[in-house]
Structures are given as C-alpha cells and as structure tokens.
Amino acid sequence: MPNIEIIQADITTIKADAIVNAANSSLLGGGGVDGAIHRVGGVEILDECKMIREKQGGCRTGHAVATGAGKLPAQYVIHTVGPIWQGGNNEEEKLLAECYVSSLELAEKLKCTSIAFPNISTGVYHFPKKEAAKIALTAVKKQLHHLTCIQQIIFVCYDQENYLIYQDIMTYFSDL
Ligand code: AR6
C-alpha cells in the first residue's frame, strides 16, 4: 500500500516524481501555488501549458494535464483545476475529489512512484479548508488499491491551519 505523508512546506522544494499544481482552466498561471510553481520552475512549464492549450483549449475543472517540471526538483507538474467555492451546491465536492483522482491517474500513466499535492481550492478559490481536507484524504484513500506505480503520496500544506487540519483528519482516519 502506498504511504501517505503530511508535511508543511513549499511544494516547489519537493523532490517527488510529480507535484500537483492548483491551476485555473486557462493554464496560463496565476497567484498562490500556481504562481510559485511557474516562478521557480521557469518559462518551460508555461510554454508546455500553451502547447496543451493549443491542442485541447485549456483544462476543465476536475481534470488534469501534465508538463515537465522545468527547474523544479520534480520530474513532472500535474496541473489540475479545482472548483471555485460557491456555497457547496454546485458540485464542488465531486469536482474537488475528481482533481485528486485525475491527478493520481495521470501520475500512474507517467509511471511516477511519488506525488505531492497542495491543498487544492483552499486559497483564492475559497473552499472551506476542513471540508477540502476530508474530501482530499477520502478521495486519495479510495484510490489506493488502484495504484500500481505510486508508492508515496505527500500532502504538502503551506499554511499552518491546513497542516493542523490534515493532521487531525489523518489521526481520525487511522483510528477507524
Ligand atoms: N506550496 C504549497 N502550497 C501553497 C504554496 C506553495 N508554494 N503557495 C500557496 N499554497 P491557491 P486555489 C497553498 O490560491 O485556491 C491561482 O491564481 C495555499 O496556502 O494557490 O486552488 C490559480 O491560477 C492554499 O492552501 O489555489 C487559480 O486561478 C493552496 O495552496 C487559483 O489561484 C491553494 O491555494 C486557484 O485557487
């Protein structure tokens, strides 16, 4: 079974085969973790995103696309688009879970053995952090038995609030 780890860090420093980006459907970059990944990874990542846009016109919410990782220590960046929180009645939960599932599926296709996730949608997109963490951990746990390459899954929390929430929920999950 793959190992799940929770850390507090900047995802651009993580040496996983794949790191996940909380992008937007334009794939042209933005603030938050997306801004950090493009800033540290360099222009190669944006160039590849532009090629994907030309081919398929961006990325839909809940879907994922992959590029190289430029100057980052990872091999790939998996760009997924989280839902914008609109109160909870617009399929936000389902779409957020899909982000984690599609990213894992893509990482498997790329033969990655490790993948690092940020707390998708919990910044600019205002998804409530506790709900988002429960959805993320549940979605990933449900996928574990489908994974053949991935051995390590890292949840990279940037802010302390998310880190404490994830630790709490993991403790609860391991008690079940
Ligand atoms: N490493 C890890 N996590 C980070 C980092 C980092 N360097 N920087 C921020 N976070 P956000 P969203 C955390 O806003 O809510 C962008 O403009 C942050 O604390 O990056 O999915 C995109 O282009 C938060 O918990 O993404 C989209 O337009 C989490 O990353 C939009 O924001 C997500 O916050 C996506 O919004």
Side-chain angles (χ1 to χ4, degrees):
M1 272 296 219
N3 180 43
I4 297 181
E5 210 182 318
I6 291 158
I7 61 169
Q8 189 175 6
D10 175 343
I11 205 163
T12 63
T13 65
I14 305 297
K15 241 192 223 162
D17 285 349
I19 64 164
V20 176
N21 181 18
N24 59 62
S25 52
S26 79
L27 297 176
L28 293 177
V33 67
D34 195 7
I37 286 173
H38 282 285
R39 199 163 47 246
V40 181
V43 74
E44 287 164 52
I45 300 177
L46 185 61
D47 287 344
E48 273 193 69
C49 284
K50 286 180 180 163
M51 289 194 314
I52 295 169
R53 265 173 70 88
E54 275 168 31
K55 243 175 38 196
Q56 66 174 59
C59 181
R60 298 218 311 267
T61 306
H63 290 222
V65 298
T67 65
K71 297 188 183 71
L72 293 165
Q75 298 296 311
Y76 299 103
V77 177
I78 293 179
H79 307 261
T80 189
V81 182
I84 300 171
W85 179 256
Q86 295 174 312
N89 293 319
N90 288 282
E91 302 199 308
E92 289 96 327
E93 176 167 352
K94 173 176 159 273
L95 292 166
L96 185 61
E98 276 174 21
C99 288
Y100 288 91
V101 175
S102 20
S103 299
L104 287 171
E105 284 172 354
L106 192 46
E108 280 280 315
K109 267 194 204 145
L110 295 166
K111 305 260 175 279
C112 294
T113 60
S114 54
I115 181 167
F117 284 103
N119 310 134
I120 301 164
S121 285
T122 67
V124 175
Y125 283 178
H126 291 299
F127 208 109
K129 291 180 180 178
K130 207 168 169 181
E131 290 309 308
K134 278 187 205 156
I135 293 165
L137 283 163
T138 308
V140 166
K141 287 214 164 206
K142 270 194 196 155
Q143 287 302 304
L144 291 183
H145 59 282
H146 295 305
L147 306 176
T148 54
C149 297
I150 297 171
Q151 285 154 26
Q152 193 188 20
I153 299 165
I154 312 164
F155 286 99
V156 182
C157 304
Y158 192 59
D159 53 282
Q160 184 155 28
E161 193 188 350
N162 260 318
Y163 180 60
L164 296 175
I165 289 172
Y166 267 78
Q167 280 193 325
D168 258 15
I169 295 175
M170 265 304 267
T171 312
Y172 171 73
F173 271 20
S174 53
D175 285 348
L176 290 180

